[in-house]
Amino acid sequence: MMPSVQVVFPRHVLCVLGEGLDLDLLARIARETPGVDFDPADAASAADPRMARAFRASLTNATFEDADWDAVERHDTVAYLLSEPVRRAAAADVAARMLALVARLFEAGATAVKNESSGLTHGRARWLELASTAAEGNPDRRIVALYRAWVKRPIQHDHLVYSCGLHLLGVPDVEVAGGTVDDVPAMDAFAGYLLLERPALYSGDTFRAEPGAKRWTVEHRADDRYPGDDFFHNPFGIWRLSPWGAASR
């Protein structure tokens, strides 16, 4: 008999900072948000000196303002809220619920939030902007807002440019072989294609962001960047984009 393989489903893990943060209020908000786990006993009512470095490493754009950095420096409370395990069919709904939760946490006194499952943070104003867009009711704009909120990119390592966080939206992450930041628009276009069209794709298929644009060959791979129980791990795999006609590396 073949041994069973345990699938570890992704979860949003929110790291929430505050100054005098009301943990009882956070517990009530968590109870009122379907699928959210929060244990006040796991919160720390003390400043964590690692947070400034952790938040700096989680930024990929310039959405942090002086007030956001002040909030990180002045925090005296750290709490963690977890989503339910993310199944593919419900991923967008869970992501939207967690983004709405972020907005509510700021209303409740949180001063900074980052997602431990994609290593991404935004400034307060950007979080609230994305949450507002996702709540508008336009399906396409909602998906784009969720992508911007939860998916970290570009990450550069070992001749690759790649994303982390698409597992939270129920699809494989995307990497570009030999890529640079100039290839991020193609990465974004392909991720949008996965999220909006849900296409049936196979290794060896090709992709163009638009007619006349650069053509890429796509190859599906297992995510071996992170262990299966790591919050960053994508159980849905990775799509690698290579320039059409180039040998796969």
Side-chain angles (χ1 to χ4, degrees), residues 80-166:
Y80 293 90
L81 289 84
L82 285 70
S83 77
E84 64 198 82
V86 177
R87 269 68 174 180
R88 177 172 283 180
D93 289 339
V94 174
R97 194 184 312 139
M98 295 302 289
L99 185 53
L101 173 63
V102 170
R104 193 171 179 191
L105 292 172
F106 278 117
E107 293 173 0
T111 54
V113 177
K114 68 184 178 78
N115 193 321
E116 299 283 315
S117 302
S118 59
L120 182 61
T121 188
H122 308 282
R124 182 180 190 275
R126 179 60 169 163
W127 276 123
L128 296 178
E129 175 192 3
L130 292 168
S132 177
T133 300
E136 287 176 359
N138 181 300
D140 290 355
R141 284 175 58 82
R142 182 179 86 145
I143 283 293
V144 172
L146 297 178
Y147 177 68
R148 300 293 184 186
W150 302 126
V151 181
K152 184 174 183 178
R153 89 281 179 265
I155 305 168
Q156 292 182 280
H157 178 70
D158 195 23
H159 306 294
L160 294 173
V161 173
Y162 60 92
S163 68
C164 179
L166 277 166

Side-chain angles (χ1 to χ4, degrees), residues 156-161 175-181 183 214 216 240-243 249:
Q156 292 182 280
H157 178 70
D158 195 23
H159 306 294
L160 294 173
V161 173
E175 64 184 23
V176 180
T180 69
V181 292
D183 295 314
K214 183 175 181 178
W216 303 87
R240 173 175 288 194
L241 276 60
S242 301
R249 290 196 284 173

